[in-house]
Amino acid sequence: MTFPDLKIVYKEFLHVKLHLPYIAGYLAFREVEPLMRLLNQLKEAAPELYPQAILVDGNGLLHPRKFGIASHLGVLSDMPTIGVSKNFLVIPEELDDMAMTKASYRQVLLRKGDQYRLVGQSSQSVYGAAVRTSDNAPNPVFVSQGHRITLETAIRVVLAVCPRYRIPEPIRAADLESRAYIREHGVSSA
């Protein structure tokens, strides 16, 4: 996807059979290998289109082990990666009171661009931020560093690629395109 106009310039699909079930906190073990295959295919087919940063539909440091799929993919690809999650992932002993966390960020996230740092209760580590990406959508996305990027830069990038919707356009487009591919090709999820 180009920036700043957010036009799709390359699409590739990979039909894979996932051998592991979805388990919260272990997404990378299930999905990072196919993502690496797609990145390697892009590097071979169109190196001039290889991204400068990758937005990942999942967490980076905002993870119980501070190493979610965005971190895993970033380390393996040696690329700057940004974790963007649609849902808050509870981190035991650090960010484990979801009701309190939601109440806290809802007081602060009033308009697009507002942010609420997610700080661990016992470690005082900053895990990421709840970020309001749209004036029309009150629910935030949860942004965290994956690899080779600061939280501040990750938030700026996410806000820059959310011109209309809550979900960053690269992630939104990938989700829409993959669902269209599945409908068109009759791919089953079994």
Side-chain angles (χ1 to χ4, degrees):
M1 186 169 276
T2 59
F3 182 82
D5 57 343
L6 305 177
K7 300 288 184 216
I8 296 173
V9 292
Y10 182 86
K11 287 192 277 187
E12 186 65 56
F13 300 93
L14 183 63
H15 184 135
V16 296
K17 182 174 175 87
L18 299 172
H19 299 283
L20 297 172
Y22 172 77
I23 302 171
Y26 293 91
L27 186 62
F29 293 99
R30 178 176 129 121
E31 297 184 8
V32 80
E33 190 271 329
L35 293 173
M36 282 301 300
R37 278 201 282 171
L38 287 167
L39 282 173
N40 290 331
Q41 286 175 3
L42 172 59
K43 195 183 284 187
E44 288 291 318
E48 70 280 5
L49 298 178
Y50 202 72
Q52 293 177 312
I54 301 170
L55 278 77
V56 179
D57 188 359
N59 291 303
L61 290 181
L62 183 56
H63 187 272
R65 285 166 294 290
K66 290 188 173 181
F67 201 83
I69 189 168
S71 302
H72 202 132
L73 182 64
V75 168
L76 290 177
S77 65
D78 195 28
M79 288 287 301
T81 52
I82 301 167
V84 182
S85 179
K86 299 170 193 99
N87 299 304
F88 178 70
L89 179 64
V90 169
I91 299 173
E93 298 178 25
E94 288 285 66
L95 294 162
D96 55 4
D97 188 338
M98 188 180 299
M100 184 184 78
T101 302
K102 279 186 176 184
S104 297
Y105 69 65
R106 285 196 173 143
Q107 292 176 10
V108 177
L109 304 179
L110 305 176
R111 64 187 56 85
K112 181 177 180 170
D114 288 348
Q115 332 168 1
Y116 176 81
R117 292 291 195 262
L118 298 164
V119 179
Q121 296 160 351
S122 55
S123 70
Q124 295 301 299
S125 294
V126 176
Y127 281 83
V131 179
R132 178 131 179 207
T133 55
S134 170
D135 286 326
N136 299 323
N139 291 330
V141 294
F142 301 93
V143 179
S144 60
Q145 302 109 291
H147 182 63
R148 292 182 50 195
I149 198 161
T150 65
L151 180 58
E152 291 72 23
T153 300
I155 292 169
R156 279 198 316 271
V157 168
V158 167
L159 287 169
V161 296
C162 288
R164 288 182 63 189
Y165 302 103
R166 171 180 168 247
I167 306 304
E169 194 57 29
I171 292 172
R172 185 178 166 279
D175 189 48
L176 291 171
E177 292 287 338
S178 66
R179 290 174 192 272
Y181 178 88
I182 289 168
R183 276 192 310 274
E184 183 178 319
H185 293 87
V187 178
S188 73
S189 59

